[in-house]
Amino acid sequence: MNKNTLLLSVFSFCLFCGCGDDNDGIPEWPWTDPTEEPTPPPEEPVEANPAIVAAGWTNVNASFGSLPEYINVYKSPEQLQGKKAVAYIAVADMAKGGKFEILGDIAYCDDKSIANYGAETVNTPDQFYTTSKAPIIINGGLFFYAAKSDDSAFYVSQNLVARNGEILAVNQTYWVEDWSSDPLVMWYPTIGTFCQTEDGTCKTTWTYSTGTKHYCYSVPADNALNKDPLEVPSATFPGVAEEFKAVNAIGGAGVLLSNGEIKNTWAQELLDVAADSNQPRTAIAYSTDKKLMFFVCEGRERTEGVAGLTTGEVANVLKSLGCTEALNLDGGGSSCMLVNGKETIKPSGGEQRAVLTGVRMY
């Protein structure tokens, strides 16, 4: 056999082996079908509140587990208002289903030693979470302890509470500086309230109940303890009144924002909330794009160097985040926010304080 014949035979053998149906021992090449669409990479989640992130706040949803898609939680930058800070906000888009409601078994007590609104029990935020399972809970309004005529406990609400269209308590209607004075001198403050109206929007207002009429005003009565008391609020004082109506509402410790303007009316409301000192704070707020916001900040050096904020500084922070309506709530040792039952700030007393009311976002 000559050389050419040998080469032709080898070529024919290789061709026969390569074209047969039996592919044993021959690797399959990972060719991609050009007609198949490539799998796109997973989409990055879209930040619901980019302006808040741009202001230096960090979305921390991942630290607290699953939340409704319309609720987001943010931690503050290391400084607020030029001070070292630990603060959190929870933001709910009310246009997409976000809601709030007041927690607490509030009712009128006709015991002769009480004759006021409140409850026989108080709850820690943990206890409110156990019964409600709400994704976000903060502490609510002001209250104080009193004893019934049989010496049993009763906790009096100093603030208005409305739930599902029913007014369960009204804001405190008088203030006495010295109960031993003769004659007794009484002031009649209009106290701030954050409310959801029948159209679903939220606003702050100042309220007063005469017992037969419940009024709200666009301005507070300009009270001051170093001045003579003003007249009792009415349909025409301190301004033209409207009948107070709300789906849900909570009274508090000073209007911070109203119609986009900083108010900080704790003094006119005759509320001693250490407003000008650094303290833990809690607030509830609302923006024109229908975002509901809960705010808390830590204080009293629970974290080294974190003293807290004044109420004026809280107003500044909330306005910088786009809020137009805001109310200061009970603060100090009461300040607390839970996210899925987990604490955000450290309670200033070392543990959660039992409070009369809470507010849930869900």
Side-chain angles (χ1 to χ4, degrees):
M1 180 181 297
N2 62 34
K3 185 182 295 184
N4 290 335
T5 303
L6 177 61
L7 288 173
L8 181 61
S9 298
V10 171
F11 176 77
S12 299
F13 176 78
C14 292
L15 187 64
F16 173 79
C17 292
C19 295
D21 292 334
D22 187 359
N23 292 329
D24 288 347
I26 300 176
E28 294 288 342
W29 294 100
W31 301 115
T32 301
D33 186 343
T35 63
E36 291 182 1
E37 292 291 332
T39 303
E43 292 185 4
E44 291 291 326
V46 177
E47 172 53 51
N49 300 287
I52 292 175
V53 174
W57 295 68
T58 302
N59 188 310
V60 290
N61 286 7
S63 300
F64 295 99
S66 178
L67 290 167
E69 63 175 358
Y70 49 80
I71 293 179
N72 288 273
V73 179
Y74 302 85
K75 186 177 181 180
S76 68
E78 291 185 359
Q79 286 202 342
L80 291 173
Q81 300 292 292
K83 300 174 179 177
K84 186 175 179 180
V86 176
Y88 288 82
I89 53 174
V91 183
D93 190 338
M94 299 187 79
K96 295 182 178 180
K99 300 176 183 179
F100 78 95
E101 186 180 74
I102 316 308
L103 303 171
D105 297 323
I106 309 302
Y108 186 78
C109 177
D110 59 7
D111 183 276
K112 63 182 181 180
S113 297
I114 302 296
N116 216 324
Y117 301 90
E120 295 180 350
T121 58
V122 289
N123 295 274
T124 64
D126 273 345
Q127 289 170 321
F128 279 136
Y129 177 74
T130 297
T131 55
S132 72
K133 297 302 181 185
I136 312 292
I137 292 175
I138 55 173
N139 61 289
L142 300 169
F143 66 100
F144 62 88
Y145 172 83
K148 292 184 179 182
S149 53
D150 62 0
D151 290 331
S152 60
F154 193 81
Y155 300 89
V156 175
S157 177
Q158 295 174 260
N159 285 139
L160 182 150
V161 175
R163 184 165 56 226
N164 298 324
E166 181 182 1
I167 298 174
L168 304 176
V170 301
N171 277 328
Q172 183 172 306
T173 57
Y174 63 89
W175 178 262
V176 176
E177 179 74 0
D178 182 5
W179 285 96
S180 65
S181 65
D182 187 14
L184 192 65
V185 180
M186 300 183 74
W187 285 261
Y188 305 95
T190 51
I191 291 180
T193 300
F194 182 91
C195 59
Q196 180 186 23
T197 60
E198 292 174 339
D199 67 3
T201 60
C202 298
K203 68 175 184 178
T204 51
T205 186
W206 292 266
T207 72
Y208 191 84
S209 173
T210 66
T212 57
K213 296 286 186 180
H214 201 176
Y215 296 121
C216 64
Y217 308 91
S218 60
V219 294
D222 192 18
N223 286 291
L225 294 177
N226 60 356
K227 299 178 182 178
D228 291 337
L230 301 177
E231 62 185 275
V232 177
S234 65
T236 57
F237 176 80
V240 177
E242 295 181 4
E243 181 184 359
F244 178 76
K245 294 180 180 179
V247 178
N248 294 292
I250 183 74
V255 170
L256 300 175
L257 297 170
S258 179
N259 291 318
E261 298 180 359
I262 293 178
K263 298 298 182 181
N264 198 23
T265 55
W266 62 273
Q268 294 95 316
E269 298 178 39
L270 305 181
L271 296 168
D272 183 7
V273 291
D276 290 332
S277 65
N278 298 323
Q279 300 292 339
R281 304 286 179 187
T282 305
I284 183 170
Y286 184 72
S287 66
T288 53
D289 58 352
K290 296 186 177 180
K291 300 288 179 65
L292 173 71
M293 190 177 299
F294 289 179
F295 170 94
V296 292
C297 71
E298 197 174 294
R300 299 180 181 172
E301 301 289 333
R302 288 291 294 156
T303 296
E304 185 177 356
V306 176
L309 297 174
T310 69
T311 57
E313 289 167 341
V314 175
N316 290 335
V317 169
L318 292 173
K319 185 173 183 179
S320 74
L321 295 173
C323 297
T324 56
E325 311 287 327
L327 181 74
N328 186 50
L329 296 174
D330 192 8
S334 296
S335 283
C336 183
M337 178 192 287
L338 301 184
V339 180
N340 284 334
K342 300 178 183 178
E343 288 183 351
T344 52
I345 64 169
K346 301 172 186 174
S348 65
E351 61 184 9
Q352 294 176 20
R353 175 183 289 172
V355 293
L356 183 60
T357 55
V359 190
R360 69 168 177 151
M361 176 188 288
Y362 64 105

